[in-house]
Every structure is written in C-alpha cells, then in structure tokens.
Amino acid sequence: MSLEENLDRVVARYEELQALVSSHDSPGSNDYTEKLKEISDLQPIVDSIQALRAARQERDEAKAMMDDPDSDAEMRELAEEEYYRLRDRCEELEHDVQMRLVPRDKDDDKNAILEVRAGTGGQEAALFAAELFRMYQRYASEQGWTVEVLSWQEADQGGAKEVSALVKGRGVFAKLKYESGVHRVQRVPQTESQGRIHTSAATVAVLPEAEDVDVEIEDKDLRIDTFRSQGAGGQHVNTTDSAVRITHIPTGVVVSCQDNKSQHKNRARAMQVLRARLYDAERQKLEQARADDRKSQIGSGDRSERIRTYNFPQGRVTDHRIGLTLYQLEKVISGEGLDQVIDPLISEDQAAKLAELQ
C-alpha cells in the first residue's frame, strides 16, 4: 500500500468513527468509549495529514506562480523563495506522518515487570546481575519512574541469583522492552589473582504488567505452596511459612516470592508476576515479535545468546542487534547513559516497521 493510500485509509477511518459516535445510541457504553479512544489515537495522525496536504497545496501554488510567464520578476522571485521553503516543509511533514503511521505496540504505555537472572559464570554472574539491576534502578530514577522490588534471591557470596521488580511510570515498557535478552560481561573478577579476563552472563526479561482483564487465571489451575523464607547461606529470614510458591498447572510456570513477612503480600506479588508471564507468553504468540515465548528472553544464560556485551577493560558497550558500539561503559552501566543504547534501538525498530509500510 502506497503512502497516499495509507493516508486516505486513516482519514476515512477517522471520519467513519466520528459519524458512528455522533449517531451512537448508547453513550457511555464500552463500544462508545472504545470508539472515542480510537478517535483520540487517530487525531494527531489526522492533524499531521491535514497539515501535510495543506503545505503541499501551498507548495504547488507557489510553483505555479514561479513558472507563470505572466508574473513579474519580483513576484516570481518571491514565489521561488516560498516554493523552496514549502518543499522542505513538506519533506519534514511527510516524515512526521510516516512515523505516526508506524504501528504502535498496544502495551507501550504499560508498566513493566523487570526480571534479571544470573546466567553462566558462577559468582561473577551473580554480581553482574545485581549490577545490571542497579543500572535499571538508576535509569528508572532518571526517567522519573518508580521501582518496587518484588523478589530478590541473593547469591551465597553476594550479588543476585534472580531479581524481579515492578517498574511504574510513563512509557516504561516502550523503552525497557528492548532490554530483554542475554547480557554478557567481560572483566577481571576481584578474586582473579592472575589478572585474567572472565566472561559471564546475566539474562533480562521485560514483561508488560498485566491487569486482571488482560489474562484470565482460574483458581483450579493454580497450585499454591507455602514454605519458610530463607536467605543466602540457608539463614532463615523469619520463622513462619510466609513464602509463597505458585504453580500454573496448564503451563508449568512457577513463581516464588518470599521477600515480605506477610504471606498475603507475597501471594499478591507472586500472582502479579505470574499474570505478567502468562500475558507475555500469549503476546509473543499473537504478535510473533520473537521466535519463541518468553524463554527467548530469559534463555539459558548461555553466552552464545548474547544481545549486548559490556567489556570493562576496553570501556566498551556493544549491542549486537544493531552493531552499535560505545566507549562509554561507565556512563551506560551507571544508568545515566543507557538512553544512548535504547534510543538507537527504538529508531532501528521504527525504521524497520516503516519500511514494511512502503
């Protein structure tokens, strides 16, 4: 479908919705509300289309005057200046319209469940997983988001075996979704006496937070176990069975939470994570955004699955999906410079989607 055909399609749908809303016999119904929302979503695109078409008309009028032999020299000169100005303006507006036509991920406005898990590399992988999580915490702070830790499984000698958190704010999933995958670190561990560089991995999964209406979970499909919370080294966090493990029987998905002393709160948090995992698995199937379900995000922690490498001796960060290399590792790992990686990923994704429209 050509650009003009796409523009006509959008405008036609917008006008159709306006007619349906104006003649709707049940204002306040779900159908009415959904149509109003679609009109609101289309309004910026329609405004841009109207601006583009108005600028094109003015450009063509200026061109006609510029080429009119009956116009005096001064008028043709003014028309020429106006034509070139409008030509550039039309190019800008056309690009804006094209970007607005790129299909938008319906989950982009959702909060996100962030999971970071130590992969290959033993203790160094656990330390790196904790470091990655702190990177996301600081990045979230820079963005004005909030981070609520849902569970933290500490490794025996420090670091984290696995961390999950709820990240809340505007556009959280739209940005963090590009972080899903295996992250590899290359550096000399503090315990390395020979100065040799070791390679370890941690895996990141970013799941859109799911509401009750997004995924249906029946009580009969759940097995809920309680157990005594334990910390690193086997030390008991408390002496009551406050930890909760929920198994979704149809899929085999298991979620545990033990961070809170309240069994009720641990159960609520575990259900929140379970809901997000089930929703994300269905999302992957429907949108075919990845080759597999969320296992393609968490993976096995194997180094061959890497999406990004953090090389400390060289101060280098490389994102292998788009071939981006930055020699600003400290800035990125601090969270302050993470946008320098995420923004190019967003642009690349938008460009690919835009190419599909043409």
Side-chain angles (χ1 to χ4, degrees), residues 264-291:
H264 176 73
K265 290 183 178 179
N266 281 333
R267 176 170 174 164
R269 286 181 168 183
M271 281 298 298
Q272 192 174 29
V273 174
L274 175 64
R275 194 177 295 112
R277 289 187 183 179
L278 295 178
Y279 177 73
D280 183 68
E282 188 62 27
R283 164 188 160 86
Q284 305 312 313
K285 293 177 186 177
L286 293 175
E287 300 184 9
Q288 297 183 347
R290 297 176 177 87

Side-chain angles (χ1 to χ4, degrees), residues 75-297:
M75 287 298 295
R76 286 201 301 272
E77 185 177 343
L78 290 173
E80 184 177 5
E81 290 179 6
E82 186 68 359
Y83 167 75
Y84 287 116
R85 183 187 71 80
L86 288 167
R87 186 189 64 178
D88 293 343
R89 176 64 176 155
C90 285
E91 290 178 359
E92 293 172 3
L93 289 171
E94 187 169 313
H95 177 73
D96 178 62
V97 167
Q98 288 177 325
M99 295 311 298
R100 290 183 185 276
L101 287 174
V102 170
R104 192 169 184 272
D105 189 331
K106 65 182 179 64
D107 292 323
D108 275 354
D109 291 331
K110 288 182 179 288
N111 298 324
I113 301 291
L114 169 68
E115 297 182 335
V116 183
R117 183 178 298 171
T120 55
Q123 181 58 31
E124 178 63 16
L127 293 172
F128 179 52
E131 192 169 3
L132 276 180
F133 182 72
R134 288 192 294 271
M135 175 184 76
Y136 293 124
Q137 280 185 307
R138 289 189 288 261
Y139 178 68
S141 178
E142 292 271 340
Q143 300 293 316
W145 303 336
T146 60
V147 178
E148 176 189 352
V149 176
L150 301 177
S151 68
W152 181 294
Q153 295 183 32
E154 189 173 348
D156 291 344
Q157 299 177 39
K161 291 181 181 178
E162 182 178 348
V163 186
S164 66
L166 173 62
V167 187
K168 294 182 177 181
R170 184 175 181 179
V172 169
F173 187 70
K175 285 201 164 190
L176 287 186
K177 65 182 177 182
Y178 297 98
E179 293 302 291
S180 293
V182 178
H183 298 238
R184 188 177 73 163
V185 62
Q186 296 172 323
R187 62 183 172 190
V188 180
Q190 293 180 354
T191 55
E192 172 56 56
S193 59
Q194 302 298 319
R196 291 173 296 188
I197 296 173
H198 287 224
T199 300
S200 306
T203 56
V204 175
V206 180
L207 320 174
E209 184 188 24
E211 305 295 338
D212 290 340
V213 295
D214 293 325
V215 57
E216 182 179 352
I217 302 177
E218 297 187 34
D219 290 342
K220 66 180 180 64
D221 291 334
L222 300 178
R223 183 173 69 246
I224 301 176
D225 303 306
T226 59
F227 57 97
R228 189 160 296 176
S229 300
Q230 290 187 326
Q235 295 178 333
H236 294 298
V237 174
N238 58 54
T239 56
T240 61
D241 291 345
S242 61
V244 174
R245 181 188 301 110
I246 301 178
T247 302
H248 186 250
I249 299 169
T251 61
V253 174
V254 180
V255 178
S256 300
C257 188
Q258 63 174 20
D259 280 38
N260 204 286
K261 292 182 179 180
S262 164
Q263 184 185 114
H264 176 73
K265 290 183 178 179
N266 281 333
R267 176 170 174 164
R269 286 181 168 183
M271 281 298 298
Q272 192 174 29
V273 174
L274 175 64
R275 194 177 295 112
R277 289 187 183 179
L278 295 178
Y279 177 73
D280 183 68
E282 188 62 27
R283 164 188 160 86
Q284 305 312 313
K285 293 177 186 177
L286 293 175
E287 300 184 9
Q288 297 183 347
R290 297 176 177 87
D292 204 348
D293 58 14
R294 72 179 296 278
K295 291 180 182 178
S296 69
Q297 296 182 30

